[in-house]
Amino acid sequence: MDPRQLFYSTIAPPPPGFEHVQLCKRHLLDGTVVILVRSLDELQQLLPDFRERMRGVVLVQGVPSSARSLGPLLWLLTLRVERMTTLNDWLAGWLEAIRQACAHEEAHRVALLDNDRLRFELGRVREDYNRVTTRLQKQVNELIEAKRLLESWNEQLESKVGERTAELARSNEELAVTLSTLEQTQEQLLRSKKLASLGSLMAGFAHELNTPLGNALLSATTLGDTAQQVDTALAQQRLTRKDLDTHLQTCRDTTDVIQRNLRRAADLIQHFKQVEGDAGTGEARQRFRLADAVQDAVKSFAPTLRSHGHEVHTDIPPDLVLEGYPGALGQVLTNLMSNAVRHGFDGQAHGRISIRARARDQDTVLLEFSDNGAGIPSGRLDKIFDPFYTTKLGHGGSGIGLYLVYKLVHRVLGGTVDARSEPGEGTHFDITLARQAAAPGA
């Protein structure tokens, strides 16, 4: 017998094969049941909650007081008391029929549930399809509108590009005219600046030249007056030995003053001529050791340094050999040392100049010139290589020393020169020299 076919009885003693129980929901839901009761009232409390889930047969002893709905999978049989003894004999066939009926009913219910599920899923699919179709149609409409707007924008863009192109062409023409005007203005400003610088130079140069020429003229006038006095004394025969000695001494002193001042004037004129001349280009190109050229320049300037109590220290590798113009290099170093004495060490005793060199690469050498002088304020540092710029115009400075340094390094020695300085920290010049300097103007 099917293990899920359970036999319960609320009547005691129960018939053979039945189990006497107090009915509860566990008995009604365990499987296919056969329940023997005296009256349907015994199921009254359980049927409302489990009517649709119970399956099997309810056997009622005697005739039920009233007909009740027991559910779709539960059958009602009424038995007489005298038939209870033969219950098992005919119940087997009923149970098989009931089991088959329950199976068919369960299959029918499952099929209905599947149909409901499929109908629900088809409804959801239909809704999803309609929703997707609506969204796609909306996107298609949006794409059509976007395409229309894009075409409109392209037309506007092409129109604007044409307008901008025309404006750009006009702007280019105006810019060309402006650049031409600017170039002319720059040329005029450059000429004006050169004339202004030249005027400043000439004023300072005239002042500097006026001093030695004035001294020479005064000495020559004094010498002339003394000669006239001697000539008068000689004509009157009043010339004494003492007067002659005094006159000769005056001649010697005056001649010395005249010579020194004329040499000073000649040096100023020569220095002035070098500003626009090609200084150093008359020298023959030759191979030389850098250490020798630096030492020669230091020796030539040594008397000036010693007279002011300053010193120079050099550190030049002996194997650095250049091909170029040692005279021009010597003039560069002389101008740098003169600038240090005149400006850096002004009012300072025991100044120190350092000259060092090292190879940078196969083509260039770095020459470093530094002093421990007063330094240069940042506002003046970018002007020191300008021609005619000096802070001592009219006081011995012409403003062309560092300009000549810049000109010789760039045009003759094939290098570059840069300066850095801080007030009170001295000045440092970095001079890059070509190992093989090209001919000037090449």
Side-chain angles (χ1 to χ4, degrees), residues 134-147:
T134 302
R135 186 166 62 249
L136 288 176
Q137 185 61 43
K138 181 179 179 181
Q139 293 177 351
V140 169
N141 293 336
E142 291 175 350
L143 288 175
I144 293 174
E145 180 64 17
K147 180 181 178 182

Side-chain angles (χ1 to χ4, degrees), residues 117-130:
R117 188 182 71 254
L118 288 175
R119 186 162 46 252
F120 174 77
E121 292 178 353
L122 286 175
R124 293 291 300 273
V125 169
R126 187 181 300 107
E127 292 176 358
D128 293 342
Y129 172 78
N130 292 335

Side-chain angles (χ1 to χ4, degrees), residues 136-407:
L136 288 176
Q137 185 61 43
K138 181 179 179 181
Q139 293 177 351
V140 169
N141 293 336
E142 291 175 350
L143 288 175
I144 293 174
E145 180 64 17
K147 180 181 178 182
R148 186 186 65 78
L149 291 176
L150 182 60
E151 292 175 350
S152 175
W153 290 342
N154 284 336
E155 293 176 358
Q156 297 177 9
L157 182 60
E158 290 177 357
S159 176
K160 289 185 178 296
V161 167
E163 294 175 358
R164 293 293 187 272
T165 302
E167 292 178 1
L168 183 60
R170 290 193 297 270
S171 299
N172 288 337
E173 294 177 358
E174 295 174 356
L175 181 60
V177 174
T178 303
L179 288 176
S180 176
T181 305
L182 181 60
E183 289 177 355
Q184 295 175 3
T185 303
Q186 288 178 337
E187 292 178 358
Q188 294 175 359
L189 289 175
L190 183 59
R191 285 196 296 268
S192 299
K193 184 177 179 180
K194 286 183 176 180
L195 290 174
S197 299
L198 183 59
S200 177
L201 169 67
M202 293 304 296
F205 179 73
H207 183 84
E208 288 292 325
L209 190 60
N210 183 64
T211 300
L213 290 180
N215 292 336
L217 180 60
L218 179 61
S219 298
T221 302
T222 302
L223 183 60
D225 292 341
T226 304
Q228 182 63 37
Q229 293 173 4
V230 171
D231 185 57
T232 301
L234 182 60
Q236 297 176 358
Q237 296 182 357
R238 292 186 295 102
L239 184 64
T240 64
R241 179 71 181 182
K242 182 179 179 180
D243 293 336
L244 183 60
D245 291 338
T246 301
H247 172 68
L248 292 177
Q249 183 62 41
T250 301
C251 289
R252 285 192 293 268
D253 294 340
T254 305
T255 303
D256 182 62
V257 171
I258 293 173
Q259 288 177 345
R260 282 190 288 105
N261 282 277
L262 291 179
R263 278 197 299 269
R264 171 62 178 162
D267 290 341
L268 286 173
I269 294 173
Q270 182 64 28
H271 205 184
F272 182 76
K273 289 170 58 179
Q274 289 178 344
V275 174
E276 292 303 328
D278 292 328
T281 56
E283 182 182 6
R285 189 165 178 267
Q286 57 184 294
R287 287 177 61 85
F288 63 95
R289 292 201 313 159
L290 181 59
D292 295 339
V294 172
Q295 196 61 36
D296 290 342
V298 172
K299 287 180 179 179
S300 65
F301 202 74
T304 303
L305 293 171
R306 283 195 301 268
S307 65
H308 290 82
H310 307 312
E311 58 183 2
V312 177
H313 294 268
T314 61
D315 181 13
I316 312 295
D319 58 341
L320 285 180
V321 178
L322 307 181
E323 186 171 344
Y325 305 93
L329 178 59
Q331 189 174 354
V332 168
L333 295 174
T334 299
N335 284 340
L336 289 176
M337 289 185 287
S338 176
N339 188 74
V341 171
R342 182 181 298 273
H343 298 279
F345 300 147
D346 187 18
Q348 175 182 339
H350 308 296
R352 178 186 176 93
I353 295 175
S354 175
I355 305 176
R356 298 185 301 172
R358 59 182 176 86
R360 293 189 60 182
D361 49 46
Q362 295 180 350
D363 299 323
T364 59
V365 171
L366 177 62
L367 181 65
E368 297 176 277
F369 182 99
S370 60
D371 63 65
N372 63 343
I376 303 173
S378 58
R380 298 177 179 176
L381 187 61
D382 57 346
K383 301 178 182 179
I384 60 175
F385 294 117
D386 292 349
F388 320 130
Y389 177 77
T390 179
T391 58
K392 291 190 176 184
L393 186 62
H395 299 280
S398 60
I400 49 182
L402 290 182
Y403 171 69
L404 288 176
V405 169
Y406 183 89
K407 184 176 180 180

Side-chain angles (χ1 to χ4, degrees), residues 2-195:
D2 187 351
R4 292 176 57 84
Q5 295 177 356
L6 305 174
F7 296 83
Y8 300 122
S9 174
T10 62
I11 302 175
F18 281 78
E19 177 183 358
H20 181 261
V21 296
Q22 291 290 333
L23 285 178
C24 63
K25 64 181 180 180
R26 177 178 62 81
H27 301 120
L28 302 180
L29 302 177
D30 281 348
T32 302
V33 297
V34 179
I35 304 174
L36 176 61
V37 297
R38 294 181 186 277
S39 170
L40 290 179
D41 294 337
E42 298 181 33
L43 298 176
Q44 182 64 33
Q45 296 181 349
L46 299 177
L47 282 175
D49 294 333
F50 307 104
R51 186 184 309 274
E52 301 297 327
R53 299 168 60 186
M54 293 174 57
R55 65 178 63 185
V57 181
V58 177
L59 302 176
V60 180
Q61 184 179 3
V63 179
S65 59
S66 61
R68 288 182 173 86
S69 174
L70 300 181
L73 300 179
L74 195 63
W75 283 263
L76 175 64
L77 294 178
T78 302
L79 298 177
R80 295 175 181 167
V81 177
E82 60 270 17
R83 296 287 302 271
M84 298 291 291
T85 56
T86 60
L87 182 63
N88 289 337
D89 294 336
W90 55 269
L91 189 59
W94 269 92
L95 289 177
E96 178 62 23
I98 290 171
R99 189 187 66 78
Q100 294 179 3
C102 289
H104 288 300
E105 182 68 19
E106 183 70 17
H108 178 67
R109 291 185 61 193
V110 171
L112 291 177
L113 291 175
D114 289 342
N115 287 337
D116 291 341
R117 188 182 71 254
L118 288 175
R119 186 162 46 252
F120 174 77
E121 292 178 353
L122 286 175
R124 293 291 300 273
V125 169
R126 187 181 300 107
E127 292 176 358
D128 293 342
Y129 172 78
N130 292 335
R131 189 162 50 249
V132 171
T133 302
T134 302
R135 186 166 62 249
L136 288 176
Q137 185 61 43
K138 181 179 179 181
Q139 293 177 351
V140 169
N141 293 336
E142 291 175 350
L143 288 175
I144 293 174
E145 180 64 17
K147 180 181 178 182
R148 186 186 65 78
L149 291 176
L150 182 60
E151 292 175 350
S152 175
W153 290 342
N154 284 336
E155 293 176 358
Q156 297 177 9
L157 182 60
E158 290 177 357
S159 176
K160 289 185 178 296
V161 167
E163 294 175 358
R164 293 293 187 272
T165 302
E167 292 178 1
L168 183 60
R170 290 193 297 270
S171 299
N172 288 337
E173 294 177 358
E174 295 174 356
L175 181 60
V177 174
T178 303
L179 288 176
S180 176
T181 305
L182 181 60
E183 289 177 355
Q184 295 175 3
T185 303
Q186 288 178 337
E187 292 178 358
Q188 294 175 359
L189 289 175
L190 183 59
R191 285 196 296 268
S192 299
K193 184 177 179 180
K194 286 183 176 180
L195 290 174

